[in-house]
C-alpha cells in the first residue's frame, strides 16, 4: 500500500466514525425535526473500529493470522489496552463477538461519547466491559498516526 492509498483509507475510517460520534452528540430535537433518529451507530461503530484495528495490524505487521495482526496493533493503542489483553482474549470476546454474533461475548455496554479521557475499553470489578467509541477512535487514530509516521515519514490530518 502506498501513502496515497493509506491516506485514503485513514480518511474513510475516521470520517465515518467521527460522523457517528457527532450524531450522538447532536441536539436530539433538531435531529428529530430532520427525521433522523438521535444517537449514533454504537454497535456498528465499535465493530468497525475493531475491524480497522485488525486491518491496521495486517498493514503494519503482516502476520499470517487475523488475531495476531489485531493483537499486535491493539497493544499499540496504549498501556490500558495492552493490560486488558493480557487478562482477556479481546479479539475473541469483542471483535469476533461483534463481527460474528453481533454481541460482545461477555457483559458489555457500548457508548458513543466519552465522559472522561480514559481508554476506549474498560472493565469494572464485576467483569463488565464498557466500550467507548469516541475514546477508542481517538486512541486508534493516534496509533494510525504513529504507524503513518513510522512507515511514510509524515502524518496527514
Amino acid at each position: 500500500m502506498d501513502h496515497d492509498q493509506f491516506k485514503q483509507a485513514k480518511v474513510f475510517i475516521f470520517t465515518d466514525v467521527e460522523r457517528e460520534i457527532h450524531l450522538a452528540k447532536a441536539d436530539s430535537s433538531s435531529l428529530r425535526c430532520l427525521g433522523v433518529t438521535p444517537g449514533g451507530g454504537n454497535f456498528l461503530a465499535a465493530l468497525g473500529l475493531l475491524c480497522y484495528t485488525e486491518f491496521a495490524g495486517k498493514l503494519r505487521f503482516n502476520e499470517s493470522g487475523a488475531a495476531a495482526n489485531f493483537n499486535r496493533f491493539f497493544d499499540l493503542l496504549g498501556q490500558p489496552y495492552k493490560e486488558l489483553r493480557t487478562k482477556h482474549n479481546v479479539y475473541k470476546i469483542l471483535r469476533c463477538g461483534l463481527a460474528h454474533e453481533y454481541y460482545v461475548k461477555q457483559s458489555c455496554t457500548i457508548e458513543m461519547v466519552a465522559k472522561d479521557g480514559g481508554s476506549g475499553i474498560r472493565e469494572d470489578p464485576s467483569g463488565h466491559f464498557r466500550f467507548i467509541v469516541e475514546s477508542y477512535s481517538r486512541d486508534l487514530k493516534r496509533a494510525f498516526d504513529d504507524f503513518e509516521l513510522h512507515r511514510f515519514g509524515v502524518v496527514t490530518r
Side-chain angles (χ1 to χ4, degrees):
M1 174 177 273
D2 67 25
H3 192 228
D4 286 337
Q5 292 168 318
F6 179 88
K7 287 189 305 188
Q8 183 179 15
K10 183 177 162 186
V11 166
F12 170 80
I13 289 167
F14 294 104
T15 301
D16 190 44
V17 173
E18 288 168 9
R19 179 186 60 245
E20 293 303 313
I21 293 167
H22 289 302
L23 278 171
K25 291 179 174 182
D27 177 63
S28 59
S29 60
S30 297
L31 289 174
R32 281 190 189 93
C33 287
L34 296 171
V36 176
T37 303
N42 60 337
F43 280 88
L44 290 173
L47 170 60
L49 289 167
L50 293 165
C51 291
Y52 299 146
T53 302
E54 182 181 320
F55 166 75
K58 179 72 175 173
L59 290 178
R60 178 144 188 192
F61 302 108
N62 199 25
E63 297 281 346
S64 61
N69 289 310
F70 175 90
N71 290 334
R72 288 192 67 190
F73 206 82
F74 186 84
D75 288 353
L76 298 178
L77 300 185
Q79 193 61 32
Y81 297 94
K82 194 172 189 175
E83 290 172 9
L84 183 69
R85 202 178 64 72
T86 62
K87 294 172 36 182
H88 299 283
N89 185 340
V90 174
Y91 180 77
K92 180 180 176 184
I93 294 167
L94 290 159
R95 189 269 181 210
C96 291
L98 285 174
H100 302 294
E101 298 166 27
Y102 204 59
Y103 289 101
V104 175
K105 294 181 184 237
Q106 285 185 213
S107 177
C108 182
T109 302
I110 300 174
E111 304 166 29
M112 287 299 292
V113 180
K115 295 174 181 66
D116 58 36
S119 69
I121 303 175
R122 306 163 194 192
E123 179 187 22
D124 68 25
S126 72
H128 179 84
F129 287 105
R130 286 181 54 227
F131 188 109
I132 301 97
V133 169
E134 184 176 31
S135 300
Y136 193 97
S137 180
R138 174 203 64 221
D139 297 337
L140 183 63
K141 186 166 187 317
R142 185 175 31 244
F144 258 80
D145 289 347
D146 290 346
F147 170 48
E148 185 176 20
L149 184 61
H150 168 80
R151 175 114 177 234
F152 302 107
V154 296
V155 175
T156 55
R157 301 284 174 197

